Amino acid sequence: KVKWSTTCFFAVTLQCVPTNNALLGGPGIAVWATEDDTGVEARVAILQDNTFPGNIPQHRMDSPSGLWLMYYYIKELAQERGKRYWKTMLGKMYDPLHNVLVTVYVRKLLLDWAIPPSNGGTRDRILMLACIQLFSLFLLRWGDYAQAQFRGRTSGVRMVHR
């Protein structure tokens, strides 16, 4: 189901022009430079009524910050791609969470507990932190797989939008 497409063009021949209405010949393959003087050829463009992106209202499009434009663009991409969009986003968002929060905090606790064992570092706690780090590493690898698998050939954005 296509929600947005580029403008389509075709040629028609005006057979006669009465006072109010024009009589059109059928659409066909146009030869733009012809010697035939049977009618006037016109190029017709079919435009869509909805505005890109996501049929954004005009008052939102005119906002000075441009945040509404970004919101409607992301909303249209999410609607078009469905679950694959959210899987890709989760895969891409977990990388900084793993690198900044999980890895730094888990390693800090491991070093704090392992160096002086009197600070509460039991074998079970250290093993639990190692399992948390391993689980987070598995989630990171799933995120890499998901963002590569589900993003699509054009990184989730249709070529006509770029």
Side-chain angles (χ1 to χ4, degrees):
K1 182 175 167 181
V2 177
K3 296 179 182 174
W4 185 85
S5 65
T6 56
T7 305
C8 299
F9 293 98
F10 63 93
V12 295
T13 304
L14 293 171
Q15 299 294 329
C16 68
V17 181
T19 56
N20 293 336
N21 298 323
L23 178 65
L24 296 178
I29 299 174
V31 180
W32 296 105
T34 63
E35 300 290 327
D36 187 11
D37 199 11
T38 59
V40 178
E41 290 193 4
R43 191 170 185 189
V44 177
I46 298 176
L47 302 174
Q48 289 192 349
D49 290 340
N50 61 349
T51 54
F52 175 78
N55 207 11
I56 183 172
Q58 188 64 38
H59 70 280
R60 302 260 192 214
M61 189 179 287
D62 294 336
S63 71
S65 68
L67 292 177
W68 283 112
L69 187 64
M70 179 72 76
Y71 169 75
Y72 277 92
Y73 183 72
I74 292 172
K75 180 180 167 186
E76 181 175 309
L77 287 178
Q79 286 175 346
E80 187 175 317
R81 295 189 47 80
K83 289 181 182 178
R84 293 183 303 166
Y85 176 81
W86 295 111
K87 288 179 183 179
T88 303
M89 288 303 289
L90 285 175
K92 291 191 85 58
M93 288 174 21
Y94 189 71
D95 189 20
L97 181 74
H98 170 81
N99 290 333
V100 174
L101 292 179
V102 176
T103 300
V104 172
Y105 191 66
V106 166
R107 287 184 183 172
K108 180 205 173 299
L109 286 177
L110 275 173
L111 290 174
D112 286 350
W113 288 349
I115 293 177
S118 61
N119 287 348
T122 63
R123 189 174 288 163
D124 294 336
R125 284 186 173 181
I126 293 172
L127 186 61
M128 177 192 66
L129 287 176
C131 289
I132 289 172
Q133 178 72 25
L134 187 64
F135 180 70
S136 179
L137 184 66
F138 285 139
L139 285 178
L140 179 67
R141 294 298 141 219
W142 175 84
D144 286 345
Y145 169 78
Q147 67 95 14
Q149 185 71 24
F150 299 123
R151 72 175 172 221
R153 199 177 77 217
T154 59
S155 300
V157 180
R158 290 176 23 195
M159 292 296 280
V160 294
H161 291 182
R162 291 201 259 170

